[in-house]
Amino acid sequence: MSTTKKATSALISVFSKEGLEPIIRQLSNLGVTLYSTGGTEKFIRDLGIDVIPVEEVTGYPSILGGRVKTLHPKVFGGILNRREHQGDQSELEAYEIPQIDIVIVDLYPFEKTVASGASEQDIVEKIDIGGISLIRAAAKNFKDVLCVSSVEDYDEFLQLITAQDGSITLEDRKRFAAKAFNVSSHYDTAIFNYFNEEETAFKVSETRGQELRYGENPHQKGYFYGDLEGMFNKLHGKELSYNNLLDVDAAVNLMGEFKNDDPTFAILKHNNACGVATRPTLVQAYKDALAGDPVSAFGGILIANRAIDKDTAEEINSLFCEVVIAPAYSEEALEILRQKKNRILLEQKEVNLPKTQVRTCLNGFLVQEKNEKTDTAEDISYRTDNKPSGEELKDLLFASKICKHTKSNTIVLAKGLQLCASGTGQTSRVDALRQAIEKARSFNFELEGAVMASDAFFPFPDCVEIADKAGIRSVIQPGGSIKDQLSIDYCNEHNMAMVFTGTRHFKH
């Protein structure tokens, strides 16, 4: 027997009527009997198209302020019956239950209601019961019924019934069933997460996804799940890769620390900053960020906290870079930066980023609160006889911001609101410091008077001793070692200033 079925009836119950009219008219043109209730029924009737109220089928009106409309055996029997099952068909005949071949549902907007800051009563009323039940029933019986579960599928459904004259293949019904269960599971996850105050379970659902060219390496598949268009306007260039996205994430998080500061530019490579500078003008900030490591900047990710102007764009254009991110671009800047066809230009929008971080671990997941603590002057405790000067304090807090977003173990060296160098991802803090000093010197930075930031405490005075001999005069670190006094004593003996923040900033 053919698995392609011609639809003769449809139940329609939607919250949003947007895009519904052409579907209603096409179903009517195809001779499909329409069933509906409430506002959707009125909408159809106002179009001058015949519709049978669900109440005429069930013998019951909508009750409890609309909470119960379609929850009835005569509705669900019409959806769930198996067309090839003689017993099911006999029961339909005995109880005068009409067949329903298509179910079109658009659920109450629960997530939008939560996001609007509505009261709990309003939020609870937007938990759809009848709609979600109709979706599950129709999707379960995909062998006989087509389920359209979202406004986003209206166009595809309309094309389908138009092209096939109301006939629907099993393949299409099963594909729409998958969409329906995606909608229902996401909806239930959103409701659970609203009520979940004890965090006894972890549920994440993201319905928007895209396949990437490949994963971290060409032999790995990669996907991104999320709303990139809600985060950026992509103005030019090729598609973002898996590694691009990781770098862009690191860049956005780092620049978030400097959002309200003077013009600041950062260059990142493999999730770590290789150049950062704050200056009176953006073009100078870019030049000084690039000076931090012009070698690593090749193929890097560039990000600014100000609109990119023509002068800055001209400087950037001489560098091969993968991605440029800014809150805005002048028209002259765009014209210049678009000269490289593959260069990705992103205009960053104002968006609230997630408050939690998630990663796979062993056979499960690790979930933690995002590190949103930024060290400020108010957090600092002065632990040495010598105190940092006003300029040194600015440099210390500047370095601390970068340190927070650099792979551990890390040491960051800065001077004059410019990143001189960092030691990143080392197995010892001493190695990180030595790497930073060597790198700074290789790019001709004068470290006399520079400052040092550490993501964690010094268990021994070796780091402050090495820093002292390199010319570094001021240090910022969390403190907390049982041997803190050893480092304090060394600083006092050698006229160094050291401050504690009380906050560790490991990043693994």
Side-chain angles (χ1 to χ4, degrees), residues 10-280:
L11 170 62
I12 307 171
S13 180
V14 300
F15 179 84
S16 172
K17 314 301 186 293
E18 185 178 351
L20 187 62
E21 181 178 347
I23 289 175
I24 299 297
R25 294 197 181 281
Q26 181 62 15
L27 289 173
S28 178
N29 291 339
L30 291 169
V32 174
T33 301
L34 303 181
Y35 298 92
S36 191
T37 186
T40 310
E41 178 199 337
K42 181 180 184 303
F43 177 84
I44 297 171
R45 202 174 297 285
D46 288 346
L47 293 176
I49 293 173
D50 290 339
V51 57
I52 299 173
V54 165
E55 290 90 333
E56 286 188 12
V57 177
T58 64
Y60 281 87
S62 171
I63 61 173
L64 307 182
R67 281 188 164 199
V68 180
K69 290 180 283 192
T70 57
L71 295 169
H72 194 280
K74 284 200 171 184
V75 173
F76 283 84
I79 297 169
L80 285 165
N81 73 90
R82 293 157 290 186
R83 288 7 180 213
E84 309 305 321
H85 191 284
Q86 187 57 48
D88 285 4
Q89 297 310 303
S90 296
E91 289 188 66
L92 254 64
E93 186 176 350
Y95 296 111
E96 298 181 341
I97 299 174
Q99 294 273 14
I100 296 174
D101 302 321
I102 298 172
V103 173
I104 302 175
V105 175
D106 177 56
L107 298 172
Y108 291 161
F110 178 81
E111 288 179 282
K112 288 182 179 178
T113 306
V114 172
S116 73
S119 68
E120 182 170 282
Q121 181 179 348
D122 289 339
I123 290 170
V124 168
E125 287 305 316
K126 286 298 184 287
I127 297 176
D128 205 313
I129 302 301
I132 204 79
S133 301
L134 291 170
I135 286 174
R136 291 177 63 84
K140 174 179 179 176
N141 202 24
F142 68 88
K143 288 188 176 181
D144 296 305
V145 179
L146 179 76
C147 182
V148 182
S149 55
S150 169
V151 170
E152 295 178 4
D153 296 325
Y154 282 5
D155 286 344
E156 184 181 356
F157 170 67
L158 180 59
Q159 292 172 16
L160 190 69
I161 58 173
T162 301
Q164 297 175 184
D165 197 31
S167 294
I168 305 164
T169 66
L170 177 60
E171 180 183 20
D172 286 330
R173 294 195 299 274
K174 190 171 184 178
R175 185 164 50 82
F176 271 78
K179 292 171 179 277
F181 284 121
N182 184 23
V183 168
S184 66
S185 63
H186 178 79
Y187 197 77
D188 285 340
T189 296
I191 295 169
F192 168 77
N193 286 333
Y194 171 75
F195 283 98
N196 181 27
E197 296 179 352
E198 298 180 0
E199 299 182 6
T200 55
F202 170 65
K203 296 181 188 294
V204 173
S205 177
E206 179 53 66
T207 58
R208 294 155 295 196
Q210 64 184 81
E211 185 172 1
L212 305 173
R213 296 198 303 273
Y214 51 80
E216 202 162 7
N217 299 290
H219 64 278
Q220 296 170 268
K221 287 187 176 182
Y223 303 84
F224 175 78
Y225 295 95
D227 182 14
L228 277 180
E229 291 183 0
M231 182 89 196
F232 303 106
N233 289 322
K234 184 167 174 286
L235 305 177
H236 183 70
K238 62 184 179 181
E239 292 302 313
L240 286 160
S241 70
Y242 182 97
N243 292 327
N244 286 157
L245 287 165
L246 289 176
D247 284 332
V248 167
D249 178 68
V252 166
N253 284 310
L254 172 61
M255 193 51 69
E257 302 285 346
F258 300 93
K259 180 179 178 181
N260 300 315
D261 290 7
D262 288 338
T264 300
F265 215 104
I267 304 172
L268 289 89
K269 195 74 172 288
H270 295 293
N271 308 161
N272 294 305
C274 58
V276 185
T278 299
R279 293 292 182 263

Side-chain angles (χ1 to χ4, degrees), residues 313-324:
E314 287 176 341
E315 292 292 330
I316 293 171
N317 202 40
S318 62
L319 174 73
F320 168 71
C321 58
E322 289 277 337
V323 184
V324 183

